[in-house]
């Protein structure tokens, strides 16, 4: 068979193709291939665990998302959740539901992307599962990390007066997605290339280092990651903390490439940055008296910008200011709506 | 809306419906609802992690599997993997890919079954994920346990001369599935009821206690759980250990109810027990000199039978004996074939 499908290979051969490529560090007592993985814990640390799934046709479109990017993004989304807790990522499990007709080289690409990103983030792939499905490809990842007992970041500690901050850039991934989609649907499309935004959509790098430094310096009163857009994140963090947030729309760190793209399209870069998903940045709050701790953490985040984008309020309304106009923050994205 | 779908409720309401029903023990520092869960580790133990998925139309049929059973089975399959490592189950994550048209009460039933089984096994549900899918319902579970560093059971230690054992009963779940399917497809069907086999298929209880005792007594040289049938299990364990196995087909612990059902159907109970899946029993090997350790472990497994079903051989062929006839063990089940 020249281009075998997963059905041609069968389950055992597929698992063998995957596990043969995985390095197993010494703290993995039992790695992939047994009923479960056995891991040595980190001394004096708490375990952090999270799970997240990507579904073909919902979270990615195989017409313009390379298989490597699918694997990369599935892991990055989980590592972003660990970063939001202040945790150091450590291990991951990869569970695939595969259509029988899927080309085996798509699985290879997906696994390559997953393995490469895991290696770059010093994450061991310790196990997983493969099953067939009559439906679309589903990539379910579970990630494990460790956090210092006094460094746990949660969504619950924001208080009125705290500053609201984000790492990195907002709105880039959404522009990348829109551009990739436009190019896939209109092959002649050449207007305003956005390579950095496309890269950011396809190969996001979670803010593990920033999360660790914010945790280490005790800089944040609350923290979460942005997967479904800033508006959704602000609403969730505010709800968990029982507070309001006033976002300064003019302060959002939207990259120039994304701004230019919106200008050409005639769309609103700020509105898009509020509602666009897939940024995988950290959203966090800082007590005014902890500004020095934040500076300490920020100094150790290399070139990553950290931007103040608003303030926590006692009134529980979620608002956004543009120039001198204050309006309600848009509703967050709801996956079933 | 009288019978709301998951799309009617939306993601946040669905998550709220689930998390509001979860008790959170003290060792769970951060439970469901944040970016990730934070757990206090067990002192002087190793972490054990596994993941497994059930897909509608592949692993269950919603025509005759109640939603409660779907949730129960998804957890039990994972706890069975932990049991096979000698681990005590501790925590689970539930990741659901839901069709938008699915009735919300199906999700409620699924979660009820998951929560009830978790409570009965002292497992805390510490997190999860919900997404929509254009395809069938996918239930992905990750389970966490702990194991004593000297009690880890793997598939690799079987040596020629070791006895081969199974816990409990073989072939019951396959008969239960066949009976449930026959009753669903032929509603008048009343021949030979098999309530215990159906219960075993719908609500399997993994052999956590047996796994713990076998681990504690150091009784086993290798161990795995049986999810895809005895023949598949024997082949996998033998391959991992680099040995052969001669199975005594006449010794298989097939329950009377299943034997009677096969008699009525005119089918071969032993062949069915070799190839039938979903038993979730433990398959393990014991050195001859460790017979006393096995007796010690078995005595603490209450009413659970433990049956010797064969012997490990130096020749790497996998064989089964029936009366005086020895033949090749059937091929194991392959999920994509």
């Amino acid at each position: 068979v020249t281009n075998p499908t997963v059905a041609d290979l069968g389950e055992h051969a597929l698992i063998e193709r995957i596990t043969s490529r995985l390095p197993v560090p010494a703290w993995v007592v039992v790695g992939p291939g047994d009923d479960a993985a056995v891991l040595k814990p980190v001394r004096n640390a708490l375990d952090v665990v999270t799970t997240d799934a990507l579904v073909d046709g919902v979270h990615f479109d195989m017409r313009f998302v390379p298989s490597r990017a699918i694997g990369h993004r599935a892991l990055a989304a989980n590592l972003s959740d660990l970063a939001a807790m202040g945790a150091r990522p450590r291990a991951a499990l990869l569970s695939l539901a595969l259509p029988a007709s899927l080309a085996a080289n798509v699985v290879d690409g997906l696994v390559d992307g997953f393995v490469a990103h895991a290696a770059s983030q010093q994450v061991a792939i310790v196990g997983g599962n493969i099953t067939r499905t009559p439906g679309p490809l589903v990539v379910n990842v579970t990630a494990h990390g460790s956090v210092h007992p006094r460094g746990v970041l949660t969504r619950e500690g924001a208080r009125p007066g705290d500053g609201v901050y984000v790492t990195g850039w907002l709105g880039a991934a959404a522009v990348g997605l829109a551009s990739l989609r436009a190019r896939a649907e209109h092959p002649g499309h050449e207007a305003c290339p956005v390579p950095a935004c496309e890269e950011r959509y396809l190969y996001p790098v979670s803010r593990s280092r920033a999360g660790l430094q914010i945790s280490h310096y005790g800089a944040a009163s609350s923290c979460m990651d942005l997967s479904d857009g800033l508006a959704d994140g602000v609403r969730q963090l505010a709800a968990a903390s029982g507070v309001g947030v006033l976002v300064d729309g003019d302060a959002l760190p939207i990259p120039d490439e994304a701004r230019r793209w919106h200008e050409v399209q005639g769309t609103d870069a700020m509105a898009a940055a509020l509602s666009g998903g897939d940024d995988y940045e950290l959203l966090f709050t800082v007590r005014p008296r902890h500004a020095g701790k934040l500076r300490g953490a920020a100094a150790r985040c290399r070139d990553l910008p950290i931007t103040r984008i608003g303030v926590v309020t006692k009134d529980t309304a979620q608002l956004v200011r543009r120039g001198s106009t204050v309006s309600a923050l848009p509703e967050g994205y709801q996956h079933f709506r």
Side-chain angles (χ1 to χ4, degrees), chain A:
Chain A
V1 186
T2 315
N3 293 307
T5 65
V6 297
D8 293 327
L9 286 181
E11 181 191 13
H12 295 318
L14 272 169
I15 291 174
E16 175 59 26
R17 272 163 91 107
I18 296 174
T19 56
S20 64
R21 280 184 276 173
L22 303 181
V24 177
W27 53 268
V28 178
V29 179
V30 178
D34 216 301
D35 291 278
V38 181
L39 315 177
K40 277 188 193 151
V42 176
R43 264 173 187 280
N44 303 320
L46 300 174
D47 293 328
V48 185
V49 294
T50 187
T51 188
D52 200 14
L54 299 186
V55 180
D56 181 21
V58 178
H59 301 94
F60 58 87
D61 184 329
M62 293 178 76
R63 287 176 306 166
F64 56 81
V65 176
S67 50
R68 278 185 70 89
I70 299 169
H72 177 111
R73 293 181 77 231
L75 180 57
N78 280 271
L79 299 187
S80 184
D81 283 324
L82 295 184
M85 307 303 290
R88 182 185 298 278
R90 203 163 182 246
L93 302 167
L94 175 61
S95 179
L96 297 173
L98 302 174
S101 61
L102 192 69
N105 65 15
V106 171
V107 182
D108 288 341
L110 190 162
V111 172
D112 281 344
F114 192 85
V115 169
H117 191 46
S120 81
Q121 302 294 305
Q122 278 137 7
V123 169
I125 301 165
V126 297
N129 189 65
I130 289 187
T131 182
R132 69 183 163 87
T133 174
L137 170 62
V138 179
V139 184
N140 203 108
V141 176
T142 305
H144 295 247
S146 63
V147 67
H148 191 281
R150 278 177 285 125
V152 177
L153 305 176
T154 74
R155 299 178 177 187
E156 291 184 0
R159 286 209 308 244
D162 289 358
V164 179
Y165 294 81
V166 291
T167 58
W169 305 98
L170 297 178
V175 165
L177 170 58
S179 171
L180 284 163
R181 180 174 286 142
R183 293 203 291 131
E185 291 173 355
H186 312 286
H189 188 89
E190 278 182 30
C192 198
V194 285
C197 289
E198 292 182 4
E199 180 79 6
R200 181 76 193 154
Y201 173 75
L202 294 174
Y203 300 99
V205 176
S206 63
R207 301 308 188 189
S208 294
R209 187 181 175 85
L212 277 170
Q213 294 302 333
I214 291 166
S215 162
H216 178 72
Y217 278 85
S221 54
S222 71
C223 185
M224 67 176 290
D225 81 314
L226 295 177
S227 50
D228 293 332
L230 179 64
D232 177 81
V234 165
R235 286 187 176 277
Q236 292 203 42
L237 187 139
S241 292
V243 296
V245 169
L246 172 59
V247 173
D248 179 0
D250 300 316
L252 302 186
I254 302 166
D256 289 342
E257 189 183 88
R259 288 190 190 278
R260 281 195 300 275
W261 187 88
H262 282 292
E263 265 173 40
V264 172
Q265 304 289 317
T267 46
D268 182 344
M270 187 194 305
L274 284 171
S275 60
D278 298 310
D279 281 324
Y280 297 115
E281 298 291 355
L282 298 181
L283 169 70
F284 60 102
T285 58
V286 178
R287 303 253 190 276
R289 70 170 190 276
H290 290 165
K293 295 181 175 187
L294 176 60
R295 279 193 300 274
R300 301 197 59 175
C301 290
R302 295 171 182 157
D303 299 329
L304 181 70
I306 290 181
T307 308
R308 183 179 169 116
I309 61 153
V311 65
V312 177
T313 59
K314 194 169 174 184
D315 184 295
T316 56
Q318 313 310 325
L319 303 171
V320 57
R321 186 177 55 214
R322 280 185 99 137
S324 56
T325 309
V326 172
S327 52
L329 199 69
E331 287 296 324
Y333 180 73
Q334 285 245 356
H335 285 278
F336 288 96
R337 291 279 159 86

